[in-house]
Amino acid sequence: MKRPRPAPAATGDTPVVVAARRTAIGTAGHAFKLVTADRLASAVIAALAGEVACLGEPVDDVVLGNCMGPGGNLARVSALGAGLDRSVPGVTIDRQCGSGLAAILIAGQAVRSGEMNVVIAGGTESASTAPVRAHRGGAPYERAPFAPAGHPDPDMGAAAEALGVERGVARDRQDRYACASHAKAVAAREAGGFDGEIVPVEGRGHDQRPRLLRPASLARLPAAFVPGGAVTAGNSAPNSDGAAAVAVVPERLRAGLPGLRLLAGAVVGCDPALPGWGPVPAVRRLLERTGVSMERIEAVEIVEAFAAQTLAVTDALGLDPLGADGERVCGDGGALALGHPWGASGAVVVTRLFARLVRGGAPPGTLGLATAAVGGGLGVAALFEVV
């Protein structure tokens, strides 16, 4: 029998992430090479719906980010595939690599407005099964434009190279950062640090990619995008498959569940020639709006698309991930080690914050930051607080 759907409150409430899950992440063409984006997402959505069933509230909507999927409304397809009621509509958004985080911000806005009580939000990507795109009657093309004619529209690898050069990020730092990301991820995996967040799909419950690397080995790799450049396959995140999502509810309904209060979010544009810079103005706007200093933030999760881009951003924000802030910034490794499923990565970093702070037992009031750069020149950021 279908449960009646109670009307949301007349006024909104502070949104709280009370559950966060993801699939393992597989390198494109390997672990999940035959698993479509909706199937990856459905597994995560079903797990989250089960976790929040104790609240006695039906899921109002599913918001999913996706970049390169088959089209259509993947969120609706995934919601039905997860067994949710047919009344759950679903909406799919595209902010490229920031899509998963942007979806969570949209869910937070719906809850804060009072229009919805329970929203599952995140992202999904299957680089392995993404369709080949072509204009009608024309040749296939790799990607849609990030910017129109007359504006810079670099590929992300070349853009990361340009940002690294502009901000003085040397090759050896990039390689050392990549090694550190892998080392942290291997240690977390061996300690069971990812077990509480991963929903097994096709029998795989562990990330495929993390492995111990040596700077000397990385130093021998050739430039991947610009002749003579510093950005290589070893210090770049690989194209990947995976999904991640969170459950967002108003604080008045969380029934004592621990979680992450969504304090504020920011989406900012920047120079499309240097899209990797986007997190800097986004985070700065977020901190200015909330009156929070970077020193107060205990955990930072950034989508590590490239070591050059990550270090340029952390340098600008006054963070030292290869020194004093090594455990603070991507403390269990990031996309360089785990992989980069584009539309999902922004939700992966929130799932990691949830694991590090909520499952890790951080005291109430602890602050966490999630951020991502976006092709075309955007930055997305969100500030959370443990409750």
Side-chain angles (χ1 to χ4, degrees):
M1 180 177 178
K2 183 178 175 181
R3 293 178 293 167
R5 183 178 294 272
T11 58
D13 199 349
T14 304
V16 178
V17 173
V18 295
R21 302 293 293 272
R22 67 177 178 92
T23 66
I25 299 173
T27 303
H30 292 273
F32 296 133
K33 63 181 180 180
L34 301 178
V35 185
T36 56
D38 62 289
R39 288 171 57 199
L40 291 167
S42 291
V44 175
I45 293 168
L48 289 170
E51 286 192 43
V52 299
C54 62
L55 300 178
E57 298 280 342
V59 175
D60 288 305
D61 205 356
V62 173
V63 187
L64 285 184
N66 180 258
C67 299
M68 299 293 289
N73 189 351
L74 269 177
R76 169 66 171 177
V77 176
S78 302
L80 291 174
L84 298 189
D85 191 89
R86 288 178 293 177
S87 63
V88 181
V91 62
T92 306
I93 68 164
D94 182 356
R95 277 201 198 270
Q96 291 294 296
C97 297
S99 298
L101 182 52
I104 293 169
L105 295 183
I106 290 171
Q109 291 162 1
V111 167
R112 196 184 300 274
S113 73
E115 292 186 358
M116 296 183 181
N117 283 334
V118 180
V119 184
I120 292 175
T124 186
E125 202 74 59
S126 171
S128 295
T129 66
V132 175
R133 300 186 176 198
H135 296 292
R136 190 176 298 276
Y141 60 91
E142 285 293 320
R143 64 166 175 85
F146 292 144
H151 293 264
D153 187 19
D155 286 336
M156 295 302 285
E161 186 75 63
L163 181 61
V165 170
E166 177 166 303
R167 305 303 300 185
V169 182
R171 165 72 182 266
D172 70 298
R173 284 187 72 208
Q174 296 179 41
D175 288 347
R176 285 191 293 117
Y177 186 86
C179 287
S181 182
H182 277 268
K184 289 189 284 189
V186 168
R189 183 178 61 190
E190 292 180 351
F194 300 136
D195 294 351
E197 68 196 53
I198 293 180
V199 178
V201 174
E202 300 285 306
R204 175 170 286 274
H206 295 284
D207 300 304
Q208 176 185 357
R209 179 174 165 81
R211 60 202 188 278
L212 294 177
L213 301 175
R214 294 186 303 156
S217 298
L218 290 187
R220 291 194 290 269
L221 293 176
F225 304 103
V226 176
V231 178
T232 71
N235 56 41
S236 305
N239 300 341
S240 303
D241 307 325
V246 304
V248 184
V249 305
E251 188 154 5
R252 61 186 166 79
L253 292 180
R254 69 181 179 92
L257 291 176
L260 293 176
R261 180 184 291 127
L262 176 55
L263 296 179
V267 184
V268 177
C270 69
D271 184 355
L274 298 171
W277 185 251
V280 177
V283 170
R284 287 174 175 169
R285 177 176 295 183
L286 190 66
L287 299 182
E288 180 181 3
R289 183 180 298 164
T290 59
V292 172
S293 66
M294 183 62 71
E295 289 74 22
R296 287 184 55 198
I297 298 173
E298 295 292 329
V300 177
E301 288 288 336
I302 180 171
V303 176
E304 297 174 344
F306 301 91
Q309 174 261 331
T310 303
L311 289 167
V313 168
T314 53
D315 286 352
L317 295 176
L319 297 167
D320 181 14
L322 284 172
D325 296 311
E327 294 304 312
R328 187 178 173 203
V329 178
C330 297
D332 295 327
L336 288 169
L338 301 176
H340 186 9
W342 309 300
S345 292
V348 171
V349 292
V350 179
T351 301
R352 295 270 57 252
L353 272 185
F354 191 93
R356 291 176 63 192
L357 297 180
V358 179
R359 292 196 185 96
T366 302
L367 298 179
L369 173 70
T371 188
V374 182
L378 287 80
V380 186
L383 182 66
F384 297 91
E385 178 185 25
V386 175
V387 293

